[in-house]
Amino acid sequence: MTQTRALEILSSGANIFLTGPPGSGKSYVLEQFVNKLRSSGRHLALTATTGIAASLLGGVTIHSWSGLGVRQRLDAREEELLLGNPRLLKRLMEAEILIIDEISMLDAAMLDGLDALLKVARSSLLPFGGIQVVFSGDFFQLPPVSKDRKPYCFLSKSWNEANLRVCYLSEQHRQSSDELAEILTALREQRFNKYHLELLSARQNIEHPPLTVLMTHNRDVDTLNNRRLADISGQFRAYYAQSTGAPEIANDLARSVLAPNELILKVGAQVMFVANDPLKRFVNGSQGRVVAFNHGLPAVELKDSKMVIVAEAFSWQREVDNRGAELFQIPLKLAWAITIHKCQGMSLDTAEIDLKRSFVSGMGYVALSRLKHYGGLYLRSYNSRSLELDKTVYDFDRKLRNQSQLNERETDSGSPARVASFLYKAGVNPRLIKLTTGLSNARLRSARKD
């Protein structure tokens, strides 16, 4: 499905699952949809499953928005306490559209718990209390941390009851049509073979300049970054995050951004920007090297363009229930190494990838998909687990593609009657269907029968 058609279906009022491979434009489509909703004055709940994803989206975590925190389900007493919070109850009741990005990181029990909470809060037996839900993500990414054998939220009761319409984006906007795109497609389609393994092996043991290393464990990342910084002679400068506003919101915001609370830099330090510049000079994931300190601020030479940017304090903001907080910090982090978990959502020109300690399916896929092209890949090592993908996800992905094709045919933009029929099947409010299609009552009755 194209981005344009997906945006049309998102605007229909149906419950949606927006998916597709990395680089297909899921974030772009969501951004366009959110802008459209905000301009119309709709009550929008913008959330994600991880703090980093929520920060990039400009929203909050679903755990924070819902009040569930780390709990997957509530007993009667906990439910009563939560819904006795007037701010939370007002938030849950006012929301018209709930967006959850990186839905693959949410497990089945949590999604069912959210569904149950919204039904009670809104006194409705409809899925998610009658809110239009828009889920976005790719289940080939890293799975949720869960004790359940089958943690994926698409296996939950609430997912099936929501009658989600699938928008499976097919255009590629990150990887060019080269060997890397072929490797990633082969992994998704379960046809990875000796040829693709040879392509990966050809990128091992290649001489290269200092690059960010994508690694599997936090401890390895911290050790490498600290050792490389200590190896540089000269004075260091330290930058500390500052925050204002509601303390609990400020604390949640601090946990959500990639910028460290304490940033220690020296000239020669390898760094990465962790925010998108409004002036478009850098994006989240842009790599560079500190070349000087300009009036106390780090001057960073970008690796790709050689442009030198003086990194000033960046502002991250968050508002919940008309209460807000703001955090200020230099938008950089040491980048000799970064974990694969934290690189999700980034787009990198080059990286060295170390997969020898992969411990969960999808790690290799996530790391490889961060790169824009095959020539930017420098593979340090990998193990047999690193290139595995879950068979349950393979089977589900095949169904998603078929459903997306069916949805695209049913919503042919040249046929309002077919659009109306599609929306009736999706359980959209009849009044909204009439406004969307402009059909007469007689033609709407006919579409409903179809």
Side-chain angles (χ1 to χ4, degrees):
M1 187 179 292
T2 65
Q3 294 178 352
T4 302
R5 178 56 62 86
L7 192 56
E8 289 175 5
I9 296 177
L10 278 166
S11 303
S12 70
N15 291 337
I16 302 293
F17 176 41
L18 176 67
T19 189
S24 58
K26 295 185 292 296
S27 297
Y28 173 79
V29 171
L30 266 190
E31 181 184 348
Q32 297 302 306
F33 181 53
V34 167
N35 290 341
K36 185 175 182 179
L37 291 174
R38 283 175 170 160
S39 65
S40 66
R42 305 287 298 278
H43 286 280
L44 167 67
L46 188 57
T47 75
T49 56
T50 68
I52 295 169
S55 176
L56 292 174
L57 196 63
V60 299
T61 64
I62 184 60
H63 310 80
S64 173
W65 180 84
S66 66
L68 287 171
V70 297
R71 291 167 293 199
Q72 295 178 322
R73 53 181 65 85
L74 301 172
D75 59 30
R77 181 176 173 279
E78 288 175 321
E79 193 174 273
E80 185 179 350
L81 285 172
L82 265 186
L83 298 181
N85 180 336
R87 282 201 185 103
L88 175 62
L89 186 60
K90 183 173 185 286
R91 183 195 315 161
L92 299 181
M93 291 183 67
E94 284 187 345
E96 297 176 83
I97 301 158
L98 170 62
I99 293 175
I100 307 179
D101 195 18
E102 298 289 358
I103 192 69
S104 66
M105 296 292 285
L106 198 69
D107 73 359
M110 176 69 183
L111 192 65
D112 281 343
L114 176 65
D115 175 56
L117 177 67
L118 287 168
K119 284 175 177 175
V120 172
R122 297 167 66 88
S123 302
S124 171
L125 295 177
L126 292 172
F128 298 97
I131 295 177
Q132 179 193 357
V133 293
V134 175
F135 302 151
S136 177
D138 176 13
F139 284 100
F140 283 113
Q141 302 292 313
L142 295 173
V145 177
S146 174
K147 296 178 181 178
D148 296 338
R149 286 186 180 179
K150 295 184 176 180
Y152 298 110
C153 62
F154 62 76
L155 299 172
S156 67
K157 179 183 177 184
S158 52
W159 180 284
N160 292 319
E161 288 181 348
N163 194 23
L164 295 155
R165 289 333 202 198
V166 180
C167 296
Y168 197 118
L169 300 179
S170 55
E171 298 171 309
Q172 184 52 245
H173 299 274
R174 182 181 294 153
Q175 286 93 6
S176 54
S177 299
D178 68 356
E179 293 89 342
L180 181 59
E182 170 58 26
I183 290 169
L184 293 171
T185 302
L187 285 170
R188 289 183 75 95
E189 296 179 356
Q190 244 180 329
R191 55 179 181 81
F192 188 85
N193 56 33
K194 183 180 177 182
Y195 165 69
H196 303 103
L197 195 59
E198 289 173 349
L199 286 176
L200 284 178
S201 298
R203 300 304 301 173
Q204 282 188 280
N205 303 317
I206 298 175
E207 290 286 333
H208 58 78
L211 297 174
T212 297
V213 184
L214 305 186
M215 307 178 84
T216 55
H217 290 71
N218 277 309
R219 182 179 298 176
D220 295 336
V221 166
D222 292 341
T223 298
L224 180 57
N225 280 331
N226 292 334
R227 188 177 73 238
R228 291 289 180 87
L229 186 66
D231 287 343
I232 300 175
S233 59
Q235 295 293 315
F236 70 85
R237 287 184 179 266
Y239 305 89
Y240 298 92
Q242 304 290 328
S243 61
T244 61
E248 67 275 19
I249 300 175
N251 291 337
D252 187 54
L253 181 59
R255 289 190 295 268
S256 299
V257 302
L258 272 174
N261 179 59
E262 180 187 59
L263 175 66
I264 299 177
L265 297 176
K266 295 179 181 179
V267 172
Q270 188 168 307
V271 293
M272 175 184 291
F273 281 94
V274 292
N276 293 318
D277 179 25
L279 300 178
K280 310 295 185 185
R281 296 169 301 171
F282 57 84
V283 297
N284 178 47
S286 292
Q287 301 169 60
R289 185 174 63 89
V290 177
V291 293
F293 291 103
N294 189 333
H295 298 290
L297 295 173
V300 179
E301 182 183 66
L302 294 179
K303 184 174 294 182
D304 52 355
S305 67
K306 302 302 180 184
M307 177 192 296
V308 175
I309 296 170
V310 176
E312 299 177 336
F314 192 85
S315 164
W316 288 268
Q317 301 173 24
R318 177 165 297 173
E319 184 174 326
V320 180
D321 298 331
N322 296 318
R323 299 165 69 239
E326 189 169 12
L327 182 143
F328 302 90
Q329 176 59 299
I330 303 297
L332 295 172
K333 68 178 283 130
L334 295 177
W336 283 285
I338 186 171
T339 63
I340 292 170
H341 275 87
K342 289 183 178 178
C343 77
Q344 290 196 86
M346 290 183 173
S347 181
L348 305 175
D349 290 302
T350 56
E352 183 179 0
I353 298 177
D354 186 355
L355 298 169
K356 67 175 178 293
R357 296 183 63 201
S358 294
F359 56 91
V360 68
S361 60
M363 277 195 155
Y365 182 84
V366 171
L368 292 171
S369 63
R370 296 308 94 204
L371 292 163
K372 295 179 181 179
H373 55 87
Y374 181 70
L377 168 63
Y378 296 89
L379 188 61
R380 180 182 289 187
S381 58
Y382 60 91
N383 62 19
S384 57
R385 189 80 185 267
S386 60
L387 299 177
E388 289 180 358
L389 293 172
D390 195 313
K391 186 180 184 303
T392 304
V393 177
Y394 278 126
D395 295 339
F396 182 60
D397 189 70
R398 191 177 300 111
K399 292 179 183 177
L400 291 175
R401 279 185 266 173
N402 292 336
Q403 290 174 13
S404 182
Q405 290 171 359
L406 178 62
N407 291 340
E408 190 163 19
R409 288 196 296 270
E410 287 183 342
T411 55
D412 181 354
S413 59
S415 174
R418 293 181 78 179
V419 173
S421 177
F422 165 83
L423 296 179
Y424 276 121
K425 291 176 187 175
V428 175
N429 186 302
R431 201 159 151 270
L432 183 57
I433 296 174
K434 185 170 184 178
L435 289 171
T436 302
T437 62
L439 292 173
S440 66
N441 289 335
R443 292 192 69 190
L444 282 171
R445 285 195 293 271
S446 176
R448 190 167 194 169
K449 290 177 183 177
D450 293 340

